[in-house]
Amino acid sequence: MLKAAKEHILDINEFPDIIMEKGEGMYLWDTEENIYLDFLGGWAVTSLGHSPKVIQEALKEQSETLVNASPSFYNKPMVEFAQYLAKHSCFDMAFFGSSGSEANEAALKLARKYGQKYKNGAYKIVALKKGFHGRTLAMMSATGKLSWKEKFEPKVVGFTHVSRNDIQAMKAAIDEETCAVMLEPILGEGGICEMDYDYIQQLRKVCDETNTLLIFDEVQTGIGRTGTLFAYEQYNIEPDIMTLAKGIGGGFPLSTMLTKKELNIFERGDQGGTYVGQPLAMAVGLAVVKEVVDKRLSDNAMKMGEVIKQRLENLKMKGYITEIRGRGLMIAFDFAIEKASELTKLCRSNGLIIRERDERTIRLLPPLIVAENHIDKMIELLEKSMEEILIRYGVKMK
Ligand SMILES: *Cc1c(COP(=O)(O)O)cnc(C)c1O
């Protein structure tokens, strides 16, 4: 089967020589029946763990009722889901898509519409250095990743990037041609770096004063991961637009752009898509978010996040780790030596899935259902793997 994979799957990734076959809760199994404890969750996607009953049931029930009507009709789960999201957030209205990039595209189109309507055609977007917003051409332009700067030129124009937590730089970057500021409240792909409370408070003020929209990309931070249903709640402000994906579908392709009723300004034909409000996705999304709310999984994320950080502190005391960052179940740590990709690989062969960001930083984004016994096991496998690598490179520890 591996041979067929190499011959027929476009080579876009350093795929390891395993083929995943089954998932349940915190665990994955490959075709050779190796078992893996999953602390990456498909990059913060499997919020309820693997193959949760909630998703199985939503899919079964909805697929027996209606798989697809048409994007030009309302459908029942779509209306129920939009209503539920409005009830549990500061927003009123939803647009549904399939990926985070698609929701972000919708957000920027809405912002440009706003610029045309209310700000003399303002079209520019200010985003953050090290920010990440997706892989479509416009989102690669929005993304502040240095290594992407020269890729697939020419890019979509109108983006500037400033450093995080620097309100002066932000003020200087916003001008009369700026329609929106877009940022992640915690940089995910950028290495789990948080925005300061004061920075976001001031940013909201600056946006209000300059008639600029504030867009929160909560594709990674949203749906309970940082300890509240949405990360913006912890900053005591309301963004004008928020995008969600990853955790909202629990593994099913689903994304959302939420906004206020004042921004219900798209003209007919401005925005759409074949799978807008796809009933299976809507039923799954509603079931996932309900489960997160009803089971208070954001509280669990906060609690278990603290436990993980405490355990990592022990490894820091031993000198295996140099820094720990993050909030809730969005956690990163720096390995003592620049061999993070080797550590990822060894952990995998020892039965633990984590992921390096670069040769220094490792990220942990486990499902929100993670419990202490999983954390004990993760730390055991991580420590064992770290020791092996440190010995391999002759690093002596205390
Ligand atoms: C993953 C991610 C995206 C892109 O989502 P896709 O579903 O891969 O298009 C956008 N923004 C953030 C913050 C992300 O973490």
Side-chain angles (χ1 to χ4, degrees):
M1 214 175 187
L2 264 176
K3 188 168 167 279
K6 308 244 181 241
E7 280 173 11
H8 300 297
I9 308 279
L10 205 61
D11 190 20
I12 54 163
N13 212 338
E14 196 193 338
F15 291 111
D17 283 347
I18 50 179
I19 294 172
M20 290 303 183
E21 187 169 33
K22 188 175 120 86
E24 196 185 310
M26 290 289 297
Y27 295 93
L28 281 169
W29 284 262
D30 67 18
T31 47
E32 306 287 307
E33 286 171 26
N34 296 305
I35 181 170
Y36 304 89
L37 177 60
D38 187 3
F39 264 71
L40 184 65
W43 277 269
V45 166
T46 50
S47 39
L48 304 182
H50 292 286
S51 313
K53 280 278 172 305
V54 173
I55 293 186
Q56 291 177 32
E57 277 156 21
L59 277 174
K60 182 166 189 300
E61 209 170 289
Q62 189 57 45
S63 63
E64 285 169 357
T65 316
L66 175 69
V67 170
N68 205 355
S70 153
S72 55
F73 297 123
Y74 293 132
N75 65 66
K76 245 177 93 183
M78 176 195 213
V79 179
E80 285 167 5
F81 191 25
Q83 194 176 23
Y84 191 84
L85 288 171
K87 185 172 156 223
H88 289 276
S89 72
C90 67
F91 302 98
D92 309 299
M93 307 191 91
F95 166 82
F96 295 109
S98 308
S99 72
S101 305
E102 192 184 2
N104 283 338
E105 291 272 347
L108 293 196
K109 280 167 77 176
L110 188 60
R112 285 195 171 179
K113 192 79 192 176
Y114 173 86
Q116 276 163 13
K117 251 178 112 98
Y118 302 117
K119 205 177 168 183
N120 300 318
Y123 66 98
K124 290 189 200 157
I125 314 284
V126 184
L128 294 186
K129 289 179 181 166
K130 292 192 187 173
F132 182 86
H133 302 293
R135 291 174 182 278
T136 57
L137 267 180
M139 287 314 124
M140 284 190 87
S141 312
T143 291
K145 222 169 143 157
L146 276 179
S147 57
W148 281 8
K149 234 183 160 134
E150 310 295 326
K151 286 197 177 173
F152 308 114
E153 295 288 282
K155 291 265 174 26
V156 175
V157 297
F159 292 93
T160 25
H161 296 94
V162 297
S163 296
R164 130 189 104 96
N165 287 333
D166 184 344
I167 198 69
Q168 293 313 328
M170 184 58 85
K171 278 185 183 163
I174 296 174
D175 62 25
E176 64 277 8
E177 292 188 312
T178 308
C179 63
V181 170
M182 171 153 90
L183 54 86
E184 304 155 82
I186 302 174
L187 302 180
E189 306 302 302
I192 318 287
C193 308
E194 297 181 41
M195 301 304 134
D196 295 338
Y197 181 85
D198 287 345
Y199 175 69
I200 296 294
Q201 285 277 314
Q202 290 180 56
L203 178 58
R204 180 66 270 183
K205 244 184 35 240
V206 173
C207 285
D208 287 341
E209 286 162 7
T210 56
N211 192 16
T212 304
L213 295 180
L214 180 58
I215 304 171
F216 265 33
D217 177 344
E218 293 224 28
V219 166
Q220 199 164 139
T221 53
I223 316 298
R225 181 151 297 275
T226 69
T228 45
L229 193 53
F230 308 110
Y232 79 78
E233 298 169 50
Q234 294 172 43
Y235 292 96
N236 226 356
I237 56 111
E238 295 184 358
D240 302 297
I241 300 173
M242 172 170 74
T243 55
L244 300 164
K246 295 205 164 98
I248 195 171
F252 199 89
L254 165 65
S255 68
T256 311
M257 178 195 69
L258 294 175
T259 190
K260 309 263 188 178
K261 56 181 179 297
E262 295 77 24
L263 284 172
N264 182 24
I265 55 173
F266 274 139
E267 280 162 66
R268 309 265 156 90
D270 277 354
Q271 180 62 357
T274 306
Y275 295 121
V276 168
Q278 207 285 339
L280 294 179
M282 297 298 102
V284 168
L286 178 58
V288 168
V289 183
K290 259 192 176 149
E291 182 78 357
V292 171
V293 170
D294 293 348
K295 297 271 165 72
R296 298 179 161 276
L297 291 181
S298 46
D299 292 349
N300 191 58
M302 183 57 93
K303 242 181 18 224
M304 291 303 123
E306 289 309 311
V307 174
I308 293 174
K309 282 198 273 187
Q310 272 166 23
R311 303 286 164 84
L312 290 174
E313 274 304 327
N314 295 338
L315 297 180
K316 190 174 166 193
M317 256 146 34
K318 288 188 177 178
Y320 297 0
I321 284 175
T322 56
E323 196 186 300
I324 302 160
R325 296 185 295 279
R327 194 182 293 198
L329 291 174
M330 252 181 114
I331 295 175
F333 62 84
D334 292 346
F335 189 28
I337 57 174
E338 298 210 343
K339 298 287 173 196
S341 57
E342 218 171 309
L343 180 61
T344 294
K345 283 194 188 106
L346 185 61
C347 281
R348 193 169 55 230
S349 58
N350 285 332
L352 170 67
I353 298 177
I354 56 173
R355 179 77 187 190
E356 78 279 5
R357 174 189 179 262
D358 48 44
E359 282 305 333
R360 182 63 81 177
T361 303
I362 298 275
R363 285 190 303 156
L364 304 177
L365 300 158
L368 310 182
I369 56 158
V370 67
E372 279 204 57
N373 62 314
H374 306 126
I375 297 173
D376 292 343
K377 185 76 191 162
M378 180 274 287
I379 291 289
E380 181 197 318
L381 293 169
L382 180 65
E383 182 165 6
K384 178 176 133 187
S385 307
M386 283 177 157
E387 277 168 357
E388 203 175 317
I389 298 226
L390 291 168
I391 289 167
R392 196 179 286 175
Y393 288 95
V395 182
K396 288 216 166 52
M397 285 294 156
K398 294 170 237 180

